[in-house]
């Protein structure tokens, strides 16, 4: 069993796609084991995306991520990290396969509806960024 962090980003929440996106997680067989609404400060967004701090889009990305409420979710299942990435689709919705969350609901390459951890080390760190052990059901 593996766990991964998903975030329904501020565009997904603002465009009323929380239910649609959760439906895709549940239909895929991934289990939700923790979930909460968050509104990141700019500083918290910068901390979360610190691996991208040298990228040209960092300031715009962290403005967007702190622009409104989002939903942090821990998904669990066999190969949850890779299955969630598959379900999300490519970063740029123009490149995302049909039926993926980003193909269905993303606005553009930055406002792309969902975040998903990309490896087991990052999943552990990202889950701990939002959730204590007590907040994740066992
Ligand atoms: P992913 O979310 O697919 O793992 P990355 O880790 O490469 O993608 O990038 C993190 C986030 O930064 C993306 O989800 C997107 O919101 C934003 N982003 C990535 N590349 C660009 C870009 N070229 N222009 C604007 N925003 C971008
Ligand atoms: Mg990434």
């Amino acid at each position: 069993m593996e766990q991964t962090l998903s975030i329904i980003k501020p565009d997904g929440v603002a465009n009323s796609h929380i239910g649609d996106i959760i439906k895709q997680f549940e239909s895929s067989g991934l289990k939700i084991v923790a979930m909460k609404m968050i509104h990141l400060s700019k500083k918290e967004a910068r901390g979360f995306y610190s691996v991208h701090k040298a990228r040209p889009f960092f300031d715009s990305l962290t403005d967007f991520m702190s622009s409104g409420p989002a939903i942090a979710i821990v998904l669990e299942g066999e190969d949850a990290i890779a299955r969630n990435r598959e379900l999300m689709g490519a970063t740029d919705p123009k490149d995302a396969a049909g039926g993926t969350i980003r193909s269905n609901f993303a606005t553009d390459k930055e406002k792309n509806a969902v975040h998903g951890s990309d490896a087991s080390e990052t999943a552990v760190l990202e889950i701990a960024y939002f959730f204590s052990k007590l907040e994740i059901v066992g």
Side-chain angles (χ1 to χ4, degrees):
M1 277 299 172
E2 192 172 65
Q3 293 182 342
T4 189
L5 183 81
S6 170
I7 300 175
I8 303 177
K9 294 184 179 184
D11 64 317
V13 173
N15 295 328
S16 303
H17 291 312
I18 298 170
D20 297 321
I21 292 170
I22 288 175
K23 183 85 191 158
Q24 284 199 232
F25 292 144
E26 293 192 318
S27 300
S28 79
L30 290 168
K31 296 286 175 211
I32 294 171
V33 294
M35 177 160 69
K36 65 181 158 196
M37 191 164 249
I38 52 175
H39 187 157
L40 293 174
S41 65
K42 174 82 172 172
K43 192 176 169 193
E44 289 162 344
R46 289 174 65 92
F48 181 73
Y49 273 123
S50 63
V51 297
H52 294 308
K53 63 176 182 286
R55 308 288 286 278
F57 56 81
F58 183 67
D59 196 48
S60 172
L61 172 63
T62 53
D63 273 349
F64 160 57
M65 288 301 290
S66 58
S67 67
I71 312 279
I73 298 169
V74 181
L75 297 170
E76 185 177 87
E78 238 171 83
D79 294 321
I81 295 167
R83 280 167 63 198
N84 181 44
R85 295 292 310 193
E86 185 85 26
L87 208 55
M88 288 162 62
T91 307
D92 186 337
K94 289 204 226 61
D95 304 327
T100 59
I101 293 170
R102 282 168 165 171
S103 165
N104 289 342
F105 305 118
T107 310
D108 57 37
K109 189 172 190 175
E110 177 183 80
K111 297 173 181 60
N112 57 4
V114 280
H115 167 80
S117 306
D118 62 4
S120 50
E121 304 76 39
T122 45
V124 167
L125 292 172
E126 290 179 359
I127 290 168
Y129 200 78
F130 294 108
F131 296 98
S132 75
K133 287 257 188 304
L134 283 172
E135 292 175 304
I136 302 170
V137 301

